[in-house]
Amino acid sequence: MRILVLGADGYLGWPTALHLSARDHDVVAVDNLVRRRWDRRCGTHSLVPIASMERRVERWSELSGRTMGWQKVDMCDADAVTALVRQTSPDAVVHFAEQRSAPYSMISRAHAVETQVNNVVGTLNLLFALRDHAPACHLVKLGTMGEYGTPNIDIEEGFIDITHNGRTDRLPFPKQPGSMYHLSKVHDSHNIAFTCRIWGLRATDLNQGVVYGANTTETALHRDLATRFDYDGIWGTVLNRFCVQAAIGQPLSVHGKGGQTRGFLDIRDTLACVELACLNPPAAGEFRVFNQFTEQFSILDLAHRVQAARQAHGLDTTVAHLPNPRTELEEHYYNARHQKLVDLGLEPHLLEQTLIDTVITRVERIRSRVRPGLFAPRVDWRAREQAFSEAGHLSAGRSARSLVGRHNGHRQAAARAAAR
Amino acid sequence: MRILVLGADGYLGWPTALHLSARDHDVVAVDNLVRRRWDRRCGTHSLVPIASMERRVERWSELSGRTMGWQKVDMCDADAVTALVRQTSPDAVVHFAEQRSAPYSMISRAHAVETQVNNVVGTLNLLFALRDHAPACHLVKLGTMGEYGTPNIDIEEGFIDITHNGRTDRLPFPKQPGSMYHLSKVHDSHNIAFTCRIWGLRATDLNQGVVYGANTTETALHRDLATRFDYDGIWGTVLNRFCVQAAIGQPLSVHGKGGQTRGFLDIRDTLACVELACLNPPAAGEFRVFNQFTEQFSILDLAHRVQAARQAHGLDTTVAHLPNPRTELEEHYYNARHQKLVDLGLEPHLLEQTLIDTVITRVERIRSRVRPGLFAPRVDWRAREQAFSEAGHLSAGRSARSLVGRHNGHRQAAARAAAR
């Protein structure tokens, strides 16, 4: 299949592009490289050093004998997105190309607006380009389990049968997202569902859990093929952060009581799920939702599992509770269905079996690169002034300017933005 | 109460500002006047001539002895919105200030993006300004019954109790909106609910039905106080359009079978509902939803009622079925609850009692201004190329440029946009 991977410079996008290329799909990697700029603006970095996209693609070609396309495109540049889709005529588009940090989206008004406009407009541009130039193409869109929030009933995969006053309908599962970022994904889901219904597009919304892991079969082949690994308070996901904290002898920082339960999955399962979705497209006009995770844990449970895994290798670990910067329930019911990908053949990597090999060991080797100052949550869901922006890492004005550039549909503005 | 009316130059915003001022509230009318620019770009016009905002406010002061504030502000200019809220310290904000036409949002990619960015960013700017400068203020936000779509179960007011696998929760009612415009309102609703939850803001989402009517007590006082009246294929709502078609002897154009059932209300009831919401604010942190309509009819039923009302005065009327430009069910179940505003004291004006007096008579007097070419639907939900844009009334490029200007948070850009 010819597959576009949008957001191919990201933590998951790059390994996905490699995975699909290794399985003989004709892959075009696409990104605007904004994630590297956000690192500079936020004072954050990838624990694992990453090569440039040019070097990555070249190294992959050299090692695998396969050719991967690479195009620098901003999804908010409508003309560029249209040209990309028209020129490549993809069978599937895997769309990771969004601002994906909840804390980033909560820094300020400008960051909330930047996140929602970037994500919603990028996806709208793609939907119109597909309608006009590749109407049979399958859109595989990364959503998040965070779209559902924590309802007091079982979470279904996208839709729920509701019987009410004697009548029944199958309706979209109600959404209660917990950040400006999660809201942007809810907006995307509604927009995509609508275009499937009116234009007959076909799409799979992958409501993904929290991903952990540092390596995949392909990224482990060479240091130039490594993917990024984030552990800071803005970009880091919880399990990766725990492993880094443990590696440098810091306590694992649990926010609040730690009763927050979420779905988790190994990075290798992300790749498998995306390929399973691609290989099994929905019918024209179908908007399909898969809950993409393999196990669910509470945060405190997760901390204890890291502790136990290290203990088995004679490594000590402590746990500390910090005030929770987010507004969320710390004790709640949580039971989310995740059957559809298993039905398609997913064989999960379970946390217990792989935690030490895939994360802790890897992190131990490069722990000298850890900057402990980055662990602390710097964004509070309730606060008007953020410690983050006070630190001068980022000004709202700068963010607003770059937003306008990236939001403009014209090449000229995109070129200006790229030149910054 | 001190009340800001945002979107005060619109069909409903202006009569609302008058109504609240007449009842001794301290009203500040706010608009960016973009609706008049959209008329010029779309080649549309208000059947009823309307005065400038300056003249309206002056005339109202002269006739009523009351002072109404007037400020030209673009909701996408974050600095201006912040200054507005900080300087006025409102008790309530009534927010009509959005692009509100479904066909306009479906003209092209640029129009879809313009609609969603304008509406979502404007509302986000307002929410942050309220958080920072008027956290106790009550946001009265105009939504639409179109957010719900046409589910096969009864529609509740914003929330529904769902029992599933033996557990029960009260969750947001699932949304299935039918255009890029309706989607923008769904996005707003999710964003507002979130900010009530995390920041303790208080908001009422008025999911309004289709409004009809040409006059209110205050707009009828003087021709300078008249509000706009739209009958064209982009901005006109169905009942107003029927009355205009009938007035010039054209058949009432029913799209498709006409089985589409919707909620309707008299323009005077809109004003009463908004004031009832203002006078009865929700608690801090509460996100409340009212379904704001008084009767539900199918489109064909509505056509027959216009026919019957005219018949009673000896006027002949015919009905014609046109191809439906929208993607929507033409025969479906529809039963939407609309009790909460009645519980607060709403006494509805019913269609049968008022149609002739309030609409047909008014339209008859100015029928020489009707441009029959504007009736036809010019935007098809499925088509890539729109008859509309082919007519040269509007270019996507121009639309994209003005979007960037209005979306920029800086005064400078707003000034540039205003100067165009």
Side-chain angles (χ1 to χ4, degrees):
Chain A
M1 298 175 73
R2 166 158 292 194
I3 304 179
L4 298 186
V5 178
L6 311 179
D9 191 40
Y11 170 51
L12 299 176
W14 174 241
T16 299
L18 285 176
H19 178 87
L20 294 172
S21 179
R23 275 147 196 79
D24 282 331
H25 299 294
D26 180 10
V27 172
V28 180
V30 178
D31 207 294
N32 68 345
L33 305 180
V34 71
R35 182 66 186 79
R36 297 178 191 231
R37 293 204 299 274
W38 283 330
D39 256 355
R40 290 194 291 275
R41 280 163 45 183
C42 295
T44 50
H45 75 139
S46 169
L47 184 65
V48 176
I50 52 173
S52 68
M53 280 301 293
E54 288 78 5
R55 181 183 286 230
R56 284 169 157 179
V57 167
E58 204 176 288
R59 182 71 68 195
W60 173 244
S61 171
E62 181 190 311
L63 293 175
S64 70
R66 290 177 172 89
T67 304
M68 183 191 292
W70 153 238
Q71 290 198 33
K72 186 173 174 202
V73 170
D74 187 327
M75 296 301 296
C76 287
D77 181 342
D79 292 343
V81 172
T82 301
L84 174 72
V85 170
R86 196 176 49 220
Q87 286 159 14
T88 55
S89 292
D91 300 305
V93 175
V94 181
H95 179 19
F96 287 99
E98 301 206 327
Q99 194 297 96
R100 60 95 178 146
S101 161
Y104 183 90
S105 76
M106 297 300 292
I107 294 172
S108 71
R109 182 204 66 80
H111 292 79
V113 168
E114 179 185 14
T115 300
Q116 294 208 357
V117 171
N118 181 71
N119 295 0
V120 168
V121 173
T123 299
L124 283 175
N125 286 345
L126 178 60
L127 291 166
F128 278 87
L130 292 174
R131 179 194 69 170
D132 295 343
H133 302 289
C137 176
H138 174 199
L139 170 60
V140 179
K141 168 67 165 55
L142 270 291
T144 162
M145 286 299 293
E147 293 184 36
Y148 298 115
T150 55
N152 196 35
I153 60 173
D154 293 345
I155 295 171
E156 299 298 322
E157 301 196 66
F159 297 88
I160 181 170
D161 293 318
I162 301 179
T163 299
H164 180 55
N165 298 345
R167 303 180 63 89
T168 299
D169 200 0
R170 188 167 182 72
L171 293 170
F173 198 96
K175 301 291 180 72
Q176 297 180 110
S179 75
M180 290 292 175
Y181 152 72
H182 290 100
L183 281 156
S184 77
K185 293 285 194 178
V186 171
H187 305 342
D188 281 340
S189 295
H190 281 101
N191 284 344
I192 297 168
F194 172 69
T195 59
C196 289
R197 181 153 51 88
I198 63 160
W199 298 333
L201 298 186
R202 64 185 89 214
T204 304
D205 203 2
L206 296 175
N207 282 344
Q208 187 167 247
V210 184
V211 183
Y212 59 87
N215 262 334
T216 68
T217 310
E218 294 80 20
T219 65
L221 290 174
H222 190 282
R223 66 172 186 279
D224 284 349
L225 300 183
T227 194
R228 55 179 308 124
F229 187 92
D230 301 293
Y231 62 96
D232 62 87
I234 302 285
W235 307 102
T237 51
V238 59
L239 186 58
N240 288 354
R241 175 168 54 83
F242 281 168
C243 293
V244 177
Q245 289 175 316
I248 62 161
Q250 286 214 352
L252 314 186
S253 55
V254 170
H255 299 162
K257 293 177 184 166
Q260 307 91 319
T261 301
R262 300 289 184 271
F264 291 84
L265 73 163
D266 186 299
I267 186 171
R268 295 167 298 180
D269 291 338
T270 292
L271 316 190
C273 288
V274 168
E275 196 192 8
L276 283 170
C278 289
L279 295 176
N280 299 276
E286 188 183 349
F287 173 72
R288 182 173 69 168
V289 182
F290 294 163
N291 291 348
Q292 181 164 307
F293 71 97
T294 59
E295 299 174 275
Q296 62 176 57
F297 306 108
S298 75
I299 301 303
L300 189 59
D301 188 13
L302 208 61
H304 290 152
R305 282 167 192 263
V306 172
Q307 203 169 29
R310 288 172 52 88
Q311 190 72 53
H313 288 65
L315 300 164
D316 270 353
T317 317
T318 57
V319 174
H321 289 264
L322 297 185
N324 191 350
R326 304 192 184 202
T327 303
E328 61 188 4
L329 294 176
E330 294 178 2
E331 289 173 307
H332 58 87
Y333 178 75
Y334 197 81
N335 185 35
R337 194 174 299 273
H338 51 109
Q339 187 60 41
K340 290 188 187 174
L341 283 159
V342 173
D343 290 346
L344 289 180
L346 177 67
E347 291 174 22
H349 296 83
L350 298 184
L351 180 70
E352 295 247 302
Q353 298 155 6
T354 61
L355 185 59
I356 288 285
D357 293 344
T358 65
V359 191
I360 294 177
T361 314
R362 173 91 170 120
V363 168
E364 286 286 341
R365 283 208 305 273
I366 49 174
R367 65 181 179 181
S368 65
R369 286 177 48 88
V370 176
R371 301 184 206 154
L374 295 181
F375 288 133
R378 292 183 291 169
V379 182
D380 190 290
W381 261 228
R382 289 161 292 262
R384 179 177 159 192
E385 297 295 336
Q386 302 289 351
F388 187 69
S389 52
E390 283 168 9
H393 281 306
L394 191 112
S395 79
R398 185 168 176 188
S399 165
R401 278 198 302 279
S402 79
L403 170 62
V404 171
R406 289 187 307 101
H407 177 242
N408 192 323
H410 301 284
R411 283 169 200 284
Q412 195 184 354
R416 276 200 310 275
R420 269 199 290 276
Chain B
M1 299 175 72
R2 165 161 290 193
I3 305 178
L4 298 185
V5 177
L6 311 179
D9 191 39
Y11 170 51
L12 299 176
W14 173 241
T16 299
L18 285 176
H19 178 87
L20 294 172
S21 179
R23 275 147 196 79
D24 282 331
H25 297 293
D26 180 10
V27 172
V28 179
V30 178
D31 208 293
N32 67 346
L33 305 180
V34 70
R35 182 65 188 80
R36 296 178 191 230
R37 293 203 298 274
W38 283 330
D39 257 356
R40 290 195 291 274
R41 280 162 46 184
C42 294
T44 49
H45 74 138
S46 168
L47 184 64
V48 175
I50 53 174
S52 69
M53 279 301 292
E54 288 79 5
R55 181 184 286 228
R56 282 170 158 179
V57 166
E58 204 176 288
R59 182 70 69 194
W60 173 244
S61 171
E62 181 191 310
L63 292 176
S64 70
R66 291 176 173 87
T67 304
M68 182 191 291
W70 153 238
Q71 289 197 35
K72 187 174 174 199
V73 170
D74 187 328
M75 296 302 296
C76 286
D77 181 343
D79 293 343
V81 172
T82 301
L84 173 72
V85 170
R86 197 175 50 220
Q87 286 158 13
T88 56
S89 290
D91 300 304
V93 174
V94 181
H95 180 18
F96 287 99
E98 301 204 326
Q99 193 299 94
R100 59 93 179 149
S101 161
Y104 183 91
S105 76
M106 298 299 293
I107 294 172
S108 72
R109 184 204 65 80
H111 292 80
V113 168
E114 179 186 15
T115 299
Q116 293 207 358
V117 171
N118 180 72
N119 294 0
V120 168
V121 173
T123 298
L124 283 175
N125 286 345
L126 178 60
L127 291 167
F128 278 86
L130 292 175
R131 178 192 73 168
D132 294 344
H133 301 289
C137 175
H138 173 201
L139 171 59
V140 179
K141 169 66 164 56
L142 271 289
T144 161
M145 287 299 294
E147 294 184 36
Y148 298 115
T150 54
N152 195 34
I153 60 173
D154 293 344
I155 295 171
E156 298 298 321
E157 301 195 67
F159 297 88
I160 180 171
D161 292 318
I162 301 180
T163 299
H164 181 54
N165 299 343
R167 302 181 63 89
T168 299
D169 201 359
R170 187 167 184 71
L171 293 170
F173 198 96
K175 301 291 179 74
Q176 297 179 110
S179 76
M180 291 291 176
Y181 152 73
H182 290 98
L183 282 156
S184 76
K185 293 284 192 180
V186 171
H187 306 340
D188 281 340
S189 294
H190 281 101
N191 284 344
I192 297 168
F194 173 68
T195 59
C196 290
R197 181 152 52 88
I198 62 158
W199 297 334
L201 299 184
R202 64 186 88 215
T204 304
D205 204 2
L206 296 175
N207 282 345
Q208 187 168 248
V210 183
V211 183
Y212 59 85
N215 262 333
T216 69
T217 309
E218 293 80 21
T219 65
L221 289 174
H222 190 282
R223 67 173 185 278
D224 284 348
L225 299 183
T227 193
R228 55 180 308 122
F229 187 93
D230 301 294
Y231 62 97
D232 62 87
I234 302 284
W235 306 103
T237 50
V238 58
L239 184 60
N240 288 353
R241 174 170 54 82
F242 281 169
C243 292
V244 177
Q245 289 175 317
I248 62 161
Q250 287 214 352
L252 313 186
S253 54
V254 170
H255 299 161
K257 292 177 185 166
Q260 308 92 319
T261 300
R262 299 290 185 268
F264 291 83
L265 72 163
D266 186 299
I267 188 171
R268 294 167 298 179
D269 291 337
T270 292
L271 315 192
C273 289
V274 168
E275 197 193 7
L276 283 170
C278 289
L279 294 176
N280 299 275
E286 186 182 350
F287 174 71
R288 182 174 68 172
V289 182
F290 294 164
N291 290 347
Q292 179 164 308
F293 71 96
T294 58
E295 300 175 273
Q296 61 176 58
F297 306 108
S298 75
I299 301 303
L300 190 58
D301 187 14
L302 209 61
H304 289 152
R305 279 166 195 263
V306 172
Q307 202 168 30
R310 289 171 52 86
Q311 191 71 53
H313 287 64
L315 301 164
D316 270 353
T317 317
T318 58
V319 174
H321 289 262
L322 297 186
N324 191 351
R326 305 192 183 202
T327 303
E328 61 187 4
L329 295 176
E330 294 179 1
E331 288 173 308
H332 58 87
Y333 179 75
Y334 198 80
N335 185 34
R337 194 175 300 271
H338 51 108
Q339 186 60 40
K340 290 186 185 176
L341 282 159
V342 173
D343 290 345
L344 289 179
L346 177 67
E347 291 174 22
H349 295 82
L350 299 182
L351 181 71
E352 295 248 301
Q353 296 155 8
T354 61
L355 185 61
I356 288 286
D357 292 345
T358 65
V359 191
I360 294 178
T361 313
R362 174 89 170 122
V363 168
E364 286 287 342
R365 283 208 305 272
I366 49 175
R367 65 180 181 183
S368 64
R369 284 177 51 89
V370 176
R371 301 186 208 152
L374 295 180
F375 289 132
R378 292 182 290 170
V379 182
D380 191 289
W381 261 229
R382 288 160 292 260
R384 179 176 160 193
E385 297 294 338
Q386 301 291 349
F388 188 69
S389 53
E390 282 168 7
H393 281 307
L394 191 112
S395 79
R398 184 170 176 185
S399 166
R401 276 199 301 281
S402 79
L403 172 60
V404 172
R406 290 188 304 100
H407 176 243
N408 191 323
H410 302 283
R411 283 170 200 285
Q412 198 185 352
R416 278 201 307 275
R420 271 199 288 273

